[in-house]
Amino acid sequence: MDNVENRLVKLVLKGDQRAFAEIVELYKDKLFHLAYRMLSNRHEAEDVVQETFLRVFRNMEKYDPNQKFSTWIYRIATNLCIDRLRRKKPSFSLDAEINDQEGSDGYAMLPSDDRTPETEALLSETQTLIREAIDSLPAKYKSVMVLRYLQDLSLQEISDVTGMPVTTIKTRVHRGRDFLRKKLEYKL
């Protein structure tokens, strides 16, 4: 993958628009998943993905080829999400998406032979509780938890994406888990 990315980056730097389209194709779903998990809003996640690719295109010459391209593009997307979370004021609207079926958890999409209406209802309630708990995390913990557990990045990769030391990442993962545990201990 790194060789493909390096080749595409070199082509983009030479002005090849098809190479940039391939980069978009490689990362659009991954970045959307990351942004959706952090922002819990489909439209905002789409905006972040679009803004990420705009920034990548505008700043491609600033990319350091000694660094993994995936780390660089994840850092841009994560920072954009964090910026939106910081600016976000609580809004209460009747039109707001509450349970967007299209963006539902991947676990809900797994087929099972033994699901009954009762287990479906319990699963849906549990997923809602967990999603609400993750949404209530402070931004500094939420971004690390999403990258660690939903994007399955290593602590070192998260450090590379966020620019924070690994020790800080470990602390935030630990505190994020404690926050979730306390939030969910009497609900589950």
Side-chain angles (χ1 to χ4, degrees), residues 42-53:
R42 180 176 195 79
H43 300 292
E44 284 194 38
E46 289 170 349
D47 288 347
V48 164
V49 172
Q50 186 173 15
E51 180 65 24
T52 299
F53 287 121

Side-chain angles (χ1 to χ4, degrees), residues 19-186:
F20 188 75
E22 285 186 50
I23 288 174
V24 170
E25 200 58 40
L26 275 173
Y27 283 99
K28 69 179 183 182
D29 293 335
K30 294 173 187 173
L31 294 177
F32 175 79
H33 186 67
L34 168 72
Y36 185 78
R37 288 298 187 162
M38 289 183 71
L39 301 170
S40 300
N41 181 297
R42 180 176 195 79
H43 300 292
E44 284 194 38
E46 289 170 349
D47 288 347
V48 164
V49 172
Q50 186 173 15
E51 180 65 24
T52 299
F53 287 121
L54 283 172
R55 288 195 183 187
V56 167
F57 186 76
R58 286 186 203 137
N59 298 301
M60 189 63 88
E61 68 281 347
K62 294 179 184 176
Y63 167 66
D64 177 8
N66 297 324
Q67 182 184 13
K68 283 178 69 174
F69 184 79
S70 60
T71 300
W72 186 64
I73 198 167
Y74 271 120
R75 176 181 285 176
I76 293 169
T78 301
N79 287 341
L80 287 169
C81 288
I82 290 170
D83 288 347
R84 281 186 182 250
L85 287 170
R86 284 183 185 145
R87 286 190 312 234
K88 195 175 191 180
K89 294 180 182 173
S91 63
F92 304 96
S93 169
L94 295 175
D95 296 328
E97 294 177 18
I98 296 172
N99 282 331
D100 183 4
Q101 291 298 326
E102 291 179 60
S104 68
D105 208 340
Y107 297 110
M109 301 300 189
L110 293 174
S112 175
D113 297 333
D114 59 345
R115 284 196 176 171
T116 63
E118 296 92 65
T119 58
E120 286 289 334
L122 286 173
L123 181 60
S124 178
E125 287 175 29
T126 303
Q127 288 174 338
T128 301
L129 287 172
I130 292 170
R131 192 174 297 123
E132 287 171 356
I134 290 172
D135 286 345
S136 70
L137 281 170
K140 65 182 181 178
Y141 300 132
K142 185 176 185 178
S143 62
V144 171
M145 296 297 280
V146 167
L147 290 169
R148 178 73 178 126
Y149 294 107
L150 301 177
Q151 294 295 320
D152 203 28
L153 296 182
S154 70
L155 296 175
Q156 183 59 54
E157 289 172 322
I158 297 170
S159 173
D160 293 342
V161 167
T162 61
M164 291 185 279
V166 173
T167 53
T168 303
I169 301 299
K170 286 181 183 178
T171 301
R172 289 190 178 181
V173 167
H174 177 73
R175 289 182 182 164
R177 279 194 306 234
D178 282 347
F179 185 92
L180 289 175
R181 186 179 304 115
K182 288 174 186 169
K183 191 87 169 163
L184 295 170
E185 82 183 324
Y186 296 109

